[in-house]
Each structure stands twice: as C-alpha cells, then as structure tokens.
Amino acid sequence: MAERRSDALATPLASDTKGFQMLAAMGYRLGQGIGKTIIGRAAPVDVNLKAGRTGLGVDEAKRGRDAAAQQERQEREAKRLRGQDGMRSTFLQDRGASFARRRAEGHLVKARVVCETLDQRDGIAESQMWPLPPPPQGDDVAGADAADAAADCASVWEDLPAEQRLSEVLDHLRQRHHYCFFCGCQYNGEEDMRESCPGKWEDDH
C-alpha cells in the first residue's frame, strides 16, 4: 500500500484526466506555477505520512535528543582516547628516564673505579668521587669510624642524581687526567684530547 501511494504521488497528473483538463481550461500549463500570476507552486505539496501515535513534533525532538546523545558519546570517546594517549606518552617518558638512569648508574660505578686509580697514581689521597669503602668486618672499630666519616662526607654528593654525579666524574677525568672514559684511554694533554676525542658522552662516540 505504501509503495502504491508513493508511486501515485510521484506520478505527474495525466493530461487526459478531468482535473488536468479543468486546470488547462483556466490557463494552466504543465510545469508552470499555479495562480493568477503563475508564481505559485509548480509541484504538489509533499505528503509526509506519520507512523505511530505520537504527537506532532515528537519525532523532531527525538532526533534532536538522539543527535545530542550521539555527540556526547563521541566527546566521551575522544576524551578517553586522549587520556590513553597521555598515559602512553607518560609511560614512554618514564621508561626512557628509567633506562637513562640505569645506564648512568652502570657507567658511574666503572668511572669511579677509574677515577680512584688515576687519582691515587697522581698523588690524590681521597675523593668523594671514588667508590665508597666496603663496610668493616668484625670488631674493626677504627675501620668503622673511617667508613662512617667517609660516608658522612660523601652523603650529600651521593644523594645527587646518577646523571649529575657521572657528569662530574667525567669532567674530573678529562680535566685532571686528560682521560676519556668512553674512549678508554688517556691523552697526551688537553690539545691531544680535543683533537682525538669525539666528546664527553657515550652518544658522542
């Protein structure tokens, strides 16, 4: 029934019908607007059949509510995705910082041993950059006192970030001993190191 109605509404009025003949007698021509000035409607009024028993305007209001709900869902989803991107970015930054810290700590342990060896060879008695002395064994009171004193002196420096302590040890090795930790060799003076060593850090090599 709906299809027949749609077909009938879509079919122009035939010229051999009584209605068309009456319009033609009053001056109507197919495709022209109706009325005395021929500026009226040229096509029939559209018929929009309403399904259901709701009142007029309810469908439009429902479509508006549905559109608002859809937009709200899209905004929530976009916010959720932004939150995930932020969490992923923070995770990657934290992981990168953790890796850099562990790498610096590993280099620092080895660099402090090199620093102690070169300093002692150069007549330096002690330095906070050297490895901390091992804990005393048994009843070694004097050793315990010395270890405590060394720990107290180095406590502030030991609290610095590993990257900063490594930087200071590398600077000391380069400036005092003309030694590059990552080249693994001692140069014949500052000029030789400047010409032969690519840089202070591992990434420079």
Side-chain angles (χ1 to χ4, degrees):
M1 179 177 180
E3 292 181 359
R4 291 199 301 271
R5 181 171 56 242
S6 299
D7 293 340
L9 292 173
T11 302
L13 187 63
S15 60
D16 57 351
T17 61
K18 189 68 174 178
F20 186 88
Q21 293 173 0
M22 291 176 61
L23 290 172
M26 291 184 286
Y28 174 74
R29 296 292 181 270
L30 186 64
Q32 291 182 345
I34 60 175
K36 183 178 180 180
T37 57
I38 319 178
I39 60 174
R41 297 184 63 91
V45 177
D46 292 334
V47 178
N48 295 319
L49 296 178
K50 186 175 180 302
R53 303 179 62 183
T54 56
L56 295 175
V58 173
D59 292 340
E60 288 76 6
K62 183 177 184 301
R63 283 196 294 270
R65 290 194 300 270
D66 291 344
Q70 176 67 15
Q71 182 177 0
E72 184 179 357
R73 286 193 296 270
Q74 292 175 350
E75 291 176 353
R76 286 201 304 267
E77 179 65 13
K79 184 177 180 180
R80 184 183 67 83
L81 293 176
R82 287 195 300 270
Q84 288 183 347
D85 291 341
M87 292 175 60
R88 186 180 299 110
S89 177
T90 301
F91 169 75
L92 293 176
Q93 291 176 358
D94 291 343
R95 187 170 65 176
S98 177
F99 173 77
R101 183 173 58 254
R102 291 196 304 270
R103 183 174 66 170
E105 289 172 350
H107 290 327
L108 180 61
V109 171
K110 299 175 183 178
R112 294 178 77 166
V113 174
V114 175
C115 180
E116 181 180 20
T117 301
L118 295 179
D119 281 354
Q120 289 179 345
R121 184 188 303 170
D122 210 22
I124 299 176
E126 61 180 358
S127 172
Q128 64 182 3
M129 297 183 185
W130 296 359
L132 292 176
Q137 302 295 326
D139 298 330
D140 187 1
V141 178
D145 292 340
D148 291 341
D152 291 340
C153 294
S155 61
V156 176
W157 192 77
E158 294 292 339
D159 290 338
L160 296 176
E163 294 89 342
Q164 182 176 345
R165 286 181 288 153
L166 176 62
S167 178
E168 293 183 10
V169 174
L170 296 181
D171 286 338
H172 174 74
L173 291 174
R174 296 174 70 86
Q175 295 168 8
R176 178 64 185 254
H177 305 291
H178 305 120
Y179 182 90
C180 174
F181 176 73
F182 295 107
C183 289
C185 64
Q186 190 170 14
Y187 292 95
N188 297 320
E190 182 178 352
E191 183 177 355
D192 182 27
M193 184 172 65
R194 184 170 55 251
E195 293 177 353
S196 304
C197 176
K200 169 182 173 180
W201 296 103
E202 181 181 21
D203 293 341
D204 298 330
H205 296 69

